[in-house]
Amino acid sequence: MSEKIFRSGFVSIVGRPNVGKSTLLNRILGEKLMITSDKPQTTRNQIKGIHNVPGGQIVFLDTPGIHRAKTRLNKFMVEEALSSVQGVDLILFLVDGAFDPEKEAGMIREVLSGVEAPVILVLNKIDLIPKGDLLGRMAVYGETYPFKEIIPVSAASGDGVEQLVQLVHTLLPEGPCYFPDDILTDVPERFIVAEIIREKIFRLTHDEVPYSTAVVVDSFKERETGVVAIQATINVERDSQKGIIIGRKGEMLKKIGTQARQEIERLLDAKVFLELFVRVSGEWSDNSRMLKEFGYES
């Protein structure tokens, strides 16, 4: 009896900001690994999510949303996304089901120009599509690009996600197990901790404040008692933003810290002592040296 083929490969998830890329990957992994918020451009780095299935391993790449870049930070984010469509085995192009498909055509063709890997169009948020419109929208997208398949899903509810994963697995080539089967990502815990803190800022603050913050974990130590002591700095661009992050009598910073600590404790399965500091690093999002220091330029 011949052995079953083990299929594996790298799958990039791309699309505009806020179409649900991170939510979809969290749903697939069964764990909240990627940070999310209702604000666009939450994801800044390309992050691997490792999903094992019977007879295979899928390495997903969660990417920043593709948007018009103004600052150096935004350019870095777009480059992270666009570079991910090269050298992968498969691409999931995610779109918001509520968007007008005809207005997405130009961007889709531009991003996928010259791409060699097969592409699955994932029509997300199907719960927001008026009844009777789904097939028509799929037909419009089908005329935009020669997609391998067009799959409707709801990342929020999970509808269609398992079918999508099964399809992805069947389209991957025969290959090795790239990562141990007991890990979800190859990024260090320090990175995930910084992302969790940044997510709380996105969820709790408004306007330009979350976009002007960068979190750096300065110290990450496990004490003999088993408590993990973490010190992190929240970098902002202006004094006014520092005041908002700290809040009246330190209330906002305390709220950010409490929510972040609770999630970090679940992640590490340990008691956490979290200290947060706020520093003004003027116009860091357009400063090459600071971007490198904060992990946003290679």
Coordinates of all heavy atoms in Angstrom, one line a residue, residues 124-214:
N124 N -15.2 37.5 2.1 CA -15.5 37.5 3.5 C -16.7 38.4 3.9 O -17.2 39.2 3.1 CB -14.2 38.0 4.3 CG -14.3 37.8 5.8 OD1 -15.0 36.8 6.2 ND2 -13.7 38.6 6.6
K125 N -17.2 38.2 5.1 CA -18.3 38.9 5.7 C -19.6 38.7 4.9 O -20.3 39.6 4.6 CB -18.0 40.4 5.8 CG -16.7 40.7 6.5 CD -16.4 42.2 6.6 CE -15.1 42.5 7.3 NZ -14.8 44.0 7.5
I126 N -19.8 37.4 4.5 CA -21.0 37.1 3.7 C -22.3 37.4 4.4 O -23.3 37.5 3.8 CB -20.9 35.7 3.1 CG1 -20.8 34.7 4.3 CG2 -19.8 35.5 2.1 CD1 -20.9 33.2 3.9
D127 N -22.2 37.4 5.8 CA -23.4 37.8 6.5 C -23.8 39.2 6.3 O -25.0 39.5 6.6 CB -23.1 37.5 8.0 CG -21.8 38.2 8.5 OD1 -20.8 38.0 7.8 OD2 -21.8 38.9 9.5
L128 N -23.0 40.0 5.7 CA -23.4 41.4 5.4 C -23.9 41.6 3.9 O -24.3 42.7 3.6 CB -22.2 42.3 5.6 CG -21.5 42.3 7.0 CD1 -20.3 43.3 7.0 CD2 -22.6 42.7 8.1
I129 N -23.8 40.5 3.1 CA -24.3 40.6 1.8 C -25.8 40.4 1.7 O -26.3 39.4 2.2 CB -23.6 39.6 0.9 CG1 -22.0 39.8 1.0 CG2 -24.0 39.7 -0.6 CD1 -21.3 38.7 0.2
P130 N -26.5 41.3 1.0 CA -28.0 41.1 0.9 C -28.3 39.8 0.2 O -27.6 39.3 -0.7 CB -28.4 42.3 0.0 CG -27.3 43.3 0.2 CD -26.1 42.5 0.4
K131 N -29.3 39.1 0.7 CA -29.7 37.8 0.1 C -30.0 38.0 -1.4 O -30.6 38.9 -1.9 CB -31.0 37.3 0.8 CG -30.8 36.9 2.3 CD -32.0 36.4 2.9 CE -31.8 35.9 4.3 NZ -33.0 35.3 4.9
G132 N -29.5 37.0 -2.1 CA -29.7 37.1 -3.6 C -28.5 37.7 -4.3 O -28.5 37.6 -5.6
D133 N -27.6 38.4 -3.6 CA -26.5 39.2 -4.3 C -25.3 38.4 -4.4 O -24.3 38.7 -5.1 CB -26.2 40.5 -3.5 CG -27.3 41.5 -3.8 OD1 -28.3 41.2 -4.5 OD2 -27.1 42.7 -3.3
L134 N -25.2 37.3 -3.6 CA -23.9 36.6 -3.5 C -23.4 36.0 -4.8 O -22.2 36.3 -5.2 CB -24.0 35.4 -2.5 CG -22.8 34.6 -2.3 CD1 -21.6 35.4 -1.8 CD2 -23.0 33.4 -1.3
L135 N -24.2 35.3 -5.5 CA -23.8 34.7 -6.8 C -23.4 35.8 -7.8 O -22.5 35.6 -8.6 CB -24.9 33.8 -7.3 CG -25.2 32.5 -6.5 CD1 -26.3 31.7 -7.2 CD2 -23.9 31.7 -6.4
G136 N -24.2 36.9 -7.8 CA -23.8 38.0 -8.7 C -22.5 38.6 -8.5 O -21.7 38.9 -9.4
R137 N -22.2 38.8 -7.2 CA -20.9 39.3 -6.8 C -19.7 38.4 -7.2 O -18.7 38.8 -7.6 CB -20.9 39.7 -5.3 CG -21.8 40.8 -5.0 CD -21.8 41.2 -3.5 NE -22.8 42.2 -3.3 CZ -22.6 43.3 -2.6 NH1 -21.4 43.6 -2.1 NH2 -23.5 44.2 -2.4
M138 N -20.0 37.1 -6.9 CA -19.0 36.1 -7.3 C -18.7 36.1 -8.8 O -17.6 36.0 -9.2 CB -19.4 34.7 -6.8 CG -19.4 34.6 -5.3 SD -20.1 33.0 -4.7 CE -18.9 31.9 -5.3
A139 N -19.8 36.3 -9.6 CA -19.6 36.3 -11.0 C -18.8 37.5 -11.5 O -17.9 37.4 -12.4 CB -21.0 36.3 -11.7
V140 N -19.0 38.7 -10.9 CA -18.2 39.9 -11.2 C -16.8 39.7 -10.9 O -15.9 40.0 -11.7 CB -18.8 41.1 -10.5 CG1 -17.9 42.3 -10.7 CG2 -20.2 41.4 -10.9
Y141 N -16.5 39.1 -9.7 CA -15.1 38.9 -9.3 C -14.5 37.8 -10.3 O -13.3 37.9 -10.6 CB -15.0 38.4 -7.9 CG -15.0 39.5 -6.9 CD1 -16.1 39.5 -5.9 CD2 -14.0 40.4 -6.8 CE1 -16.1 40.5 -5.0 CE2 -14.1 41.4 -5.9 CZ -15.1 41.5 -5.0 OH -15.1 42.5 -4.0
G142 N -15.3 36.9 -10.8 CA -14.7 35.9 -11.7 C -14.3 36.4 -13.0 O -13.4 35.8 -13.6
E143 N -14.8 37.6 -13.4 CA -14.4 38.2 -14.6 C -13.1 39.1 -14.4 O -12.5 39.6 -15.4 CB -15.5 39.1 -15.2 CG -16.7 38.2 -15.6 CD -17.9 39.1 -16.0 OE1 -17.8 40.3 -15.9 OE2 -18.9 38.5 -16.4
T144 N -12.8 39.4 -13.1 CA -11.7 40.3 -12.8 C -10.3 39.6 -13.0 O -9.4 40.3 -13.5 CB -11.8 40.7 -11.3 OG1 -13.1 41.4 -11.2 CG2 -10.7 41.7 -10.9
Y145 N -10.2 38.3 -12.6 CA -8.9 37.6 -12.6 C -9.2 36.1 -12.7 O -10.2 35.7 -12.2 CB -8.2 38.0 -11.3 CG -6.8 37.4 -11.2 CD1 -5.7 38.1 -11.7 CD2 -6.6 36.2 -10.5 CE1 -4.4 37.6 -11.6 CE2 -5.3 35.7 -10.4 CZ -4.2 36.4 -11.0 OH -3.0 35.8 -10.9
P146 N -8.3 35.4 -13.3 CA -8.5 33.9 -13.3 C -8.2 33.2 -12.0 O -7.3 32.5 -11.8 CB -7.5 33.5 -14.4 CG -6.4 34.5 -14.4 CD -7.1 35.8 -14.0
F147 N -9.1 33.4 -11.0 CA -9.0 32.8 -9.7 C -9.1 31.3 -9.8 O -9.9 30.8 -10.6 CB -10.0 33.4 -8.7 CG -9.9 34.8 -8.4 CD1 -10.8 35.8 -8.9 CD2 -8.8 35.3 -7.7 CE1 -10.6 37.1 -8.7 CE2 -8.7 36.6 -7.4 CZ -9.6 37.6 -7.9
K148 N -8.4 30.6 -9.0 CA -8.5 29.2 -8.9 C -9.9 28.8 -8.4 O -10.5 27.9 -8.9 CB -7.4 28.6 -8.0 CG -7.3 27.1 -8.0 CD -6.6 26.6 -9.3 CE -6.3 25.1 -9.3 NZ -5.7 24.7 -10.6
E149 N -10.3 29.5 -7.4 CA -11.7 29.3 -6.8 C -12.1 30.6 -6.2 O -11.3 31.5 -5.9 CB -11.7 28.2 -5.8 CG -11.3 26.8 -6.2 CD -12.5 26.1 -6.9 OE1 -13.6 26.7 -6.9 OE2 -12.3 25.0 -7.4
I150 N -13.4 30.8 -6.1 CA -14.0 31.9 -5.3 C -14.8 31.3 -4.2 O -15.7 30.6 -4.4 CB -14.8 32.8 -6.2 CG1 -14.0 33.4 -7.3 CG2 -15.5 33.9 -5.3 CD1 -14.8 34.3 -8.3
I151 N -14.4 31.6 -2.9 CA -15.0 30.9 -1.8 C -15.6 32.0 -0.8 O -14.9 32.9 -0.3 CB -13.9 30.1 -1.0 CG1 -13.2 29.1 -1.9 CG2 -14.5 29.4 0.2 CD1 -14.1 28.0 -2.4
P152 N -16.9 31.9 -0.6 CA -17.5 32.8 0.4 C -17.4 32.3 1.8 O -17.6 31.1 2.0 CB -19.0 32.8 -0.1 CG -19.2 31.5 -0.7 CD -17.9 31.1 -1.3
V153 N -17.0 33.2 2.7 CA -16.8 32.8 4.1 C -17.3 33.9 5.0 O -17.5 35.0 4.6 CB -15.4 32.4 4.5 CG1 -14.8 31.4 3.6 CG2 -14.5 33.7 4.5
S154 N -17.5 33.6 6.3 CA -17.6 34.6 7.4 C -16.5 34.2 8.4 O -16.7 33.2 9.1 CB -19.0 34.5 8.0 OG -19.0 35.4 9.1
A155 N -15.4 35.0 8.4 CA -14.4 34.7 9.4 C -14.9 34.9 10.8 O -14.4 34.2 11.7 CB -13.2 35.7 9.1
A156 N -15.8 35.8 11.0 CA -16.4 36.1 12.3 C -17.1 34.9 12.9 O -17.0 34.5 14.1 CB -17.2 37.3 12.3
S157 N -18.0 34.3 12.1 CA -18.8 33.2 12.5 C -18.2 31.8 12.2 O -18.5 30.8 12.9 CB -20.2 33.2 11.9 OG -20.1 32.9 10.5
G158 N -17.3 31.7 11.3 CA -16.6 30.5 10.9 C -17.3 29.8 9.7 O -16.8 28.8 9.2
D159 N -18.4 30.4 9.2 CA -19.0 29.8 8.0 C -18.1 29.7 6.8 O -17.5 30.7 6.4 CB -20.3 30.6 7.6 CG -21.4 30.5 8.6 OD1 -21.3 29.6 9.5 OD2 -22.4 31.2 8.5
G160 N -17.9 28.5 6.3 CA -17.1 28.3 5.1 C -15.6 28.2 5.3 O -14.9 27.9 4.4
V161 N -15.2 28.4 6.6 CA -13.7 28.5 6.8 C -13.1 27.1 6.7 O -12.0 26.9 6.1 CB -13.4 29.1 8.2 CG1 -12.0 29.0 8.5 CG2 -13.9 30.6 8.2
E162 N -13.8 26.1 7.2 CA -13.3 24.7 7.2 C -13.2 24.2 5.7 O -12.2 23.6 5.3 CB -14.1 23.7 8.0 CG -13.6 22.3 8.0 CD -12.2 22.2 8.6 OE1 -11.8 23.0 9.5 OE2 -11.4 21.3 8.1
Q163 N -14.2 24.5 4.9 CA -14.1 24.2 3.5 C -12.9 24.9 2.8 O -12.3 24.3 1.9 CB -15.4 24.6 2.8 CG -16.6 23.8 3.3 CD -17.3 24.4 4.5 OE1 -16.7 25.0 5.3 NE2 -18.6 24.2 4.5
L164 N -12.7 26.1 3.2 CA -11.6 26.9 2.6 C -10.2 26.2 3.0 O -9.4 26.0 2.1 CB -11.5 28.3 3.1 CG -10.3 29.2 2.8 CD1 -10.3 29.4 1.3 CD2 -10.4 30.5 3.5
V165 N -10.1 25.8 4.2 CA -8.8 25.1 4.7 C -8.6 23.8 3.9 O -7.5 23.5 3.5 CB -8.8 24.9 6.2 CG1 -7.7 24.0 6.6 CG2 -8.8 26.2 6.9
Q166 N -9.7 23.1 3.7 CA -9.6 21.8 3.0 C -9.2 22.0 1.6 O -8.3 21.3 1.0 CB -10.9 21.1 3.1 CG -11.3 20.6 4.4 CD -12.7 20.0 4.5 OE1 -13.4 19.9 3.4 NE2 -13.1 19.5 5.7
L167 N -9.7 23.1 0.9 CA -9.3 23.4 -0.4 C -7.8 23.8 -0.5 O -7.1 23.4 -1.4 CB -10.2 24.5 -1.0 CG -9.8 25.1 -2.4 CD1 -10.0 24.0 -3.4 CD2 -10.7 26.3 -2.7
V168 N -7.4 24.7 0.4 CA -6.0 25.1 0.5 C -5.1 23.9 0.6 O -4.1 23.8 -0.2 CB -5.8 26.0 1.7 CG1 -4.3 26.2 1.9 CG2 -6.5 27.4 1.4
H169 N -5.4 22.9 1.4 CA -4.6 21.8 1.6 C -4.5 21.0 0.3 O -3.4 20.5 0.0 CB -5.2 20.9 2.7 CG -4.4 19.6 3.0 ND1 -5.0 18.4 3.2 CD2 -3.1 19.4 3.0 CE1 -4.1 17.5 3.4 NE2 -2.9 18.0 3.2
T170 N -5.6 20.8 -0.4 CA -5.5 20.0 -1.6 C -4.7 20.7 -2.7 O -4.2 20.0 -3.6 CB -6.9 19.7 -2.2 OG1 -7.6 21.0 -2.5 CG2 -7.8 19.0 -1.1
L171 N -4.6 22.0 -2.7 CA -3.8 22.7 -3.7 C -2.3 22.9 -3.4 O -1.6 23.3 -4.3 CB -4.4 24.1 -3.9 CG -5.9 24.2 -4.4 CD1 -6.4 25.6 -4.5 CD2 -5.9 23.5 -5.8
L172 N -1.9 22.5 -2.2 CA -0.5 22.6 -1.9 C 0.3 21.4 -2.5 O -0.2 20.3 -2.6 CB -0.3 22.6 -0.4 CG -0.8 23.9 0.3 CD1 -0.6 23.8 1.8 CD2 -0.2 25.1 -0.2
P173 N 1.6 21.6 -2.7 CA 2.4 20.6 -3.3 C 2.9 19.6 -2.2 O 2.7 19.9 -1.0 CB 3.6 21.3 -3.8 CG 3.7 22.5 -2.9 CD 2.3 22.9 -2.6
E174 N 3.4 18.5 -2.6 CA 4.0 17.6 -1.7 C 5.2 18.2 -1.1 O 6.0 18.9 -1.7 CB 4.5 16.3 -2.4 CG 5.1 15.2 -1.5 CD 5.4 13.9 -2.2 OE1 5.1 13.9 -3.4 OE2 5.9 13.0 -1.6
G175 N 5.4 18.1 0.3 CA 6.5 18.8 0.9 C 6.7 18.4 2.3 O 6.0 17.5 2.8
P176 N 7.7 19.0 3.0 CA 8.1 18.5 4.4 C 7.2 19.2 5.4 O 6.4 20.1 5.1 CB 9.5 19.0 4.5 CG 9.5 20.3 3.7 CD 8.6 20.0 2.5
C177 N 7.4 18.8 6.6 CA 6.8 19.5 7.8 C 7.8 20.6 8.1 O 8.9 20.3 8.7 CB 6.6 18.6 8.9 SG 5.7 19.3 10.3
Y178 N 7.5 21.9 7.8 CA 8.4 23.0 8.0 C 8.7 23.3 9.4 O 9.8 23.8 9.8 CB 8.0 24.2 7.2 CG 8.0 24.0 5.7 CD1 6.9 23.7 5.0 CD2 9.2 24.2 5.0 CE1 6.9 23.6 3.6 CE2 9.3 24.1 3.7 CZ 8.1 23.8 2.9 OH 8.2 23.6 1.6
F179 N 7.7 23.2 10.3 CA 7.8 23.6 11.7 C 7.3 22.4 12.6 O 6.5 21.6 12.1 CB 6.9 24.8 11.9 CG 7.4 26.1 11.2 CD1 6.9 26.4 10.0 CD2 8.4 26.9 11.8 CE1 7.3 27.5 9.3 CE2 8.8 28.0 11.1 CZ 8.3 28.3 9.8
P180 N 7.8 22.4 13.8 CA 7.2 21.4 14.8 C 5.7 21.5 14.9 O 5.1 22.6 14.7 CB 7.9 21.8 16.1 CG 9.1 22.5 15.7 CD 8.8 23.3 14.4
D181 N 5.0 20.4 15.1 CA 3.6 20.4 15.0 C 2.9 21.0 16.3 O 1.7 20.9 16.4 CB 3.0 19.0 14.7 CG 3.4 18.0 15.7 OD1 4.0 18.4 16.8 OD2 3.2 16.8 15.5
D182 N 3.7 21.5 17.2 CA 3.1 22.0 18.5 C 3.3 23.5 18.6 O 3.2 24.0 19.7 CB 3.8 21.3 19.7 CG 5.3 21.4 19.8 OD1 5.9 21.9 18.8 OD2 5.8 21.1 20.8
I183 N 3.6 24.2 17.5 CA 3.7 25.6 17.6 C 2.8 26.3 16.6 O 2.5 25.7 15.6 CB 5.2 26.1 17.4 CG1 5.6 25.9 15.9 CG2 6.2 25.5 18.4 CD1 6.9 26.6 15.6
L184 N 2.3 27.5 17.0 CA 1.4 28.2 16.1 C 2.1 29.3 15.3 O 1.5 29.7 14.3 CB 0.3 28.9 17.0 CG -0.7 27.9 17.6 CD1 -1.7 28.7 18.5 CD2 -1.5 27.1 16.6
T185 N 3.3 29.7 15.7 CA 4.0 30.8 15.0 C 5.4 30.7 15.3 O 5.8 30.1 16.3 CB 3.4 32.2 15.4 OG1 4.1 33.2 14.6 CG2 3.7 32.5 16.8
D186 N 6.3 31.3 14.5 CA 7.7 31.3 14.7 C 8.2 32.6 15.3 O 9.4 32.8 15.5 CB 8.5 31.0 13.4 CG 8.3 32.1 12.4 OD1 7.3 32.9 12.5 OD2 9.1 32.2 11.5
V187 N 7.3 33.6 15.6 CA 7.7 34.9 16.2 C 7.9 34.7 17.7 O 7.2 33.9 18.3 CB 6.7 36.0 15.9 CG1 6.5 36.2 14.4 CG2 5.3 35.7 16.5
P188 N 8.8 35.4 18.3 CA 9.1 35.3 19.7 C 8.0 35.8 20.6 O 7.2 36.7 20.1 CB 10.4 36.1 19.9 CG 10.4 37.0 18.8 CD 9.8 36.4 17.6
E189 N 7.9 35.4 21.8 CA 6.9 35.8 22.7 C 6.9 37.3 23.0 O 5.9 38.0 23.1 CB 7.0 35.1 24.1 CG 6.6 33.6 24.0 CD 6.8 32.9 25.3 OE1 7.6 33.3 26.1 OE2 6.2 31.8 25.5
R190 N 8.1 37.9 23.0 CA 8.2 39.3 23.1 C 7.5 40.1 22.1 O 6.9 41.1 22.3 CB 9.7 39.7 23.1 CG 10.6 39.2 24.3 CD 12.0 39.5 24.0 NE 12.3 41.0 24.2 CZ 13.0 41.4 25.2 NH1 13.5 40.6 26.2 NH2 13.3 42.7 25.3
F191 N 7.5 39.6 20.9 CA 6.8 40.3 19.8 C 5.3 40.2 20.0 O 4.6 41.2 19.8 CB 7.2 39.6 18.4 CG 6.4 40.1 17.2 CD1 6.9 41.2 16.5 CD2 5.2 39.6 16.8 CE1 6.2 41.7 15.4 CE2 4.5 40.1 15.8 CZ 5.0 41.1 15.1
I192 N 4.8 39.0 20.4 CA 3.4 38.9 20.6 C 2.9 39.8 21.8 O 1.8 40.4 21.7 CB 3.0 37.4 20.9 CG1 3.4 36.5 19.7 CG2 1.5 37.2 21.2 CD1 3.2 35.1 19.9
V193 N 3.7 39.8 22.8 CA 3.4 40.7 23.9 C 3.3 42.2 23.5 O 2.3 42.9 23.9 CB 4.5 40.5 25.1 CG1 4.3 41.7 26.1 CG2 4.3 39.2 25.7
A194 N 4.2 42.6 22.7 CA 4.2 44.0 22.2 C 2.9 44.2 21.4 O 2.3 45.3 21.5 CB 5.4 44.3 21.4
E195 N 2.6 43.2 20.6 CA 1.4 43.3 19.7 C 0.1 43.4 20.6 O -0.8 44.1 20.3 CB 1.3 42.2 18.8 CG 2.3 42.2 17.6 CD 1.9 43.3 16.6 OE1 1.2 43.0 15.7 OE2 2.4 44.5 16.7
I196 N 0.1 42.6 21.6 CA -1.1 42.6 22.5 C -1.3 44.0 23.1 O -2.4 44.5 23.2 CB -1.0 41.5 23.6 CG1 -1.1 40.1 23.0 CG2 -2.0 41.7 24.7 CD1 -0.8 39.0 24.0
I197 N -0.2 44.6 23.6 CA -0.3 45.9 24.2 C -0.8 46.9 23.1 O -1.6 47.8 23.4 CB 1.1 46.4 24.8 CG1 1.5 45.4 25.9 CG2 1.0 47.8 25.2 CD1 2.9 45.6 26.3
R198 N -0.3 46.8 21.9 CA -0.6 47.7 20.9 C -2.1 47.6 20.5 O -2.8 48.5 20.2 CB 0.3 47.5 19.6 CG 0.2 48.6 18.6 CD 1.3 48.5 17.6 NE 1.2 47.3 16.8 CZ 0.5 47.1 15.7 NH1 -0.3 48.1 15.3 NH2 0.5 46.0 15.1
E199 N -2.6 46.3 20.5 CA -4.0 46.1 20.3 C -4.9 46.8 21.3 O -5.9 47.4 20.9 CB -4.3 44.6 20.3 CG -5.8 44.3 20.0 CD -6.2 42.9 20.3 OE1 -6.1 42.5 21.5 OE2 -6.6 42.1 19.4
K200 N -4.5 46.8 22.5 CA -5.3 47.5 23.5 C -5.4 49.0 23.3 O -6.4 49.6 23.5 CB -4.8 47.2 24.9 CG -4.7 45.7 25.3 CD -6.0 44.9 24.8 CE -5.7 43.4 25.0 NZ -6.8 42.6 24.3
I201 N -4.3 49.5 22.8 CA -4.2 50.9 22.5 C -5.2 51.2 21.3 O -5.9 52.2 21.3 CB -2.8 51.4 22.1 CG1 -1.9 51.2 23.3 CG2 -2.8 52.8 21.6 CD1 -0.4 51.4 23.0
F202 N -5.2 50.3 20.3 CA -6.1 50.5 19.2 C -7.6 50.4 19.6 O -8.4 51.1 19.1 CB -5.8 49.4 18.1 CG -5.0 49.8 16.9 CD1 -3.6 49.9 17.0 CD2 -5.6 50.2 15.8 CE1 -2.9 50.4 16.0 CE2 -4.9 50.6 14.7 CZ -3.5 50.7 14.8
R203 N -7.8 49.5 20.6 CA -9.2 49.4 21.0 C -9.7 50.5 21.9 O -10.9 50.8 22.0 CB -9.4 48.0 21.6 CG -9.3 46.8 20.6 CD -9.4 45.5 21.4 NE -9.3 44.4 20.4 CZ -10.4 43.8 19.9 NH1 -11.6 44.2 20.2 NH2 -10.3 42.8 19.0
L204 N -8.8 51.0 22.7 CA -9.2 52.0 23.8 C -9.0 53.5 23.4 O -9.6 54.3 24.1 CB -8.4 51.7 25.0 CG -8.7 50.3 25.7 CD1 -7.8 50.0 26.8 CD2 -10.2 50.3 26.2
T205 N -8.2 53.8 22.4 CA -8.0 55.2 22.0 C -8.5 55.4 20.6 O -8.9 54.5 19.9 CB -6.5 55.5 22.1 OG1 -5.7 54.8 21.1 CG2 -5.9 55.3 23.5
H206 N -8.5 56.7 20.2 CA -9.2 57.0 19.0 C -8.3 58.0 18.1 O -7.2 58.4 18.5 CB -10.5 57.7 19.3 CG -11.4 56.9 20.2 ND1 -12.1 55.8 19.8 CD2 -11.7 57.0 21.5 CE1 -12.8 55.2 20.8 NE2 -12.5 55.9 21.8
D207 N -8.9 58.4 17.0 CA -8.3 59.3 16.0 C -6.9 58.8 15.6 O -6.7 57.7 15.3 CB -8.3 60.7 16.7 CG -9.7 61.2 17.0 OD1 -10.6 60.9 16.2 OD2 -9.8 61.8 18.0
E208 N -5.9 59.7 15.7 CA -4.6 59.3 15.2 C -3.7 58.6 16.2 O -2.7 58.1 15.9 CB -3.8 60.6 14.7 CG -3.1 61.4 15.8 CD -4.0 62.2 16.7 OE1 -5.2 62.3 16.5 OE2 -3.4 62.8 17.7
V209 N -4.2 58.6 17.5 CA -3.3 58.0 18.6 C -2.9 56.6 18.3 O -1.6 56.3 18.4 CB -4.1 58.2 19.9 CG1 -3.2 57.5 21.0 CG2 -4.3 59.6 20.3
P210 N -3.7 55.7 18.0 CA -3.2 54.3 17.8 C -2.3 54.2 16.7 O -1.3 53.3 16.7 CB -4.5 53.5 17.6 CG -5.5 54.4 17.2 CD -5.2 55.7 17.9
Y211 N -2.4 55.0 15.6 CA -1.5 54.9 14.5 C -0.2 55.6 14.8 O 0.8 55.4 14.0 CB -2.2 55.6 13.3 CG -3.5 55.0 12.9 CD1 -4.7 55.6 13.2 CD2 -3.5 53.8 12.2 CE1 -5.9 55.0 12.9 CE2 -4.7 53.2 11.9 CZ -5.9 53.8 12.2 OH -7.1 53.2 11.9
S212 N -0.1 56.3 15.8 CA 1.2 57.0 16.2 C 1.9 56.3 17.3 O 2.8 56.9 17.9 CB 0.8 58.5 16.5 OG 0.3 59.2 15.5
T213 N 1.5 55.1 17.6 CA 2.2 54.4 18.7 C 3.0 53.2 18.2 O 2.6 52.5 17.3 CB 1.1 53.9 19.8 OG1 0.2 53.0 19.1 CG2 0.4 55.1 20.4
A214 N 4.1 53.0 18.9 CA 4.9 51.8 18.6 C 5.3 51.2 20.0 O 5.7 52.0 20.9 CB 6.1 52.1 17.8

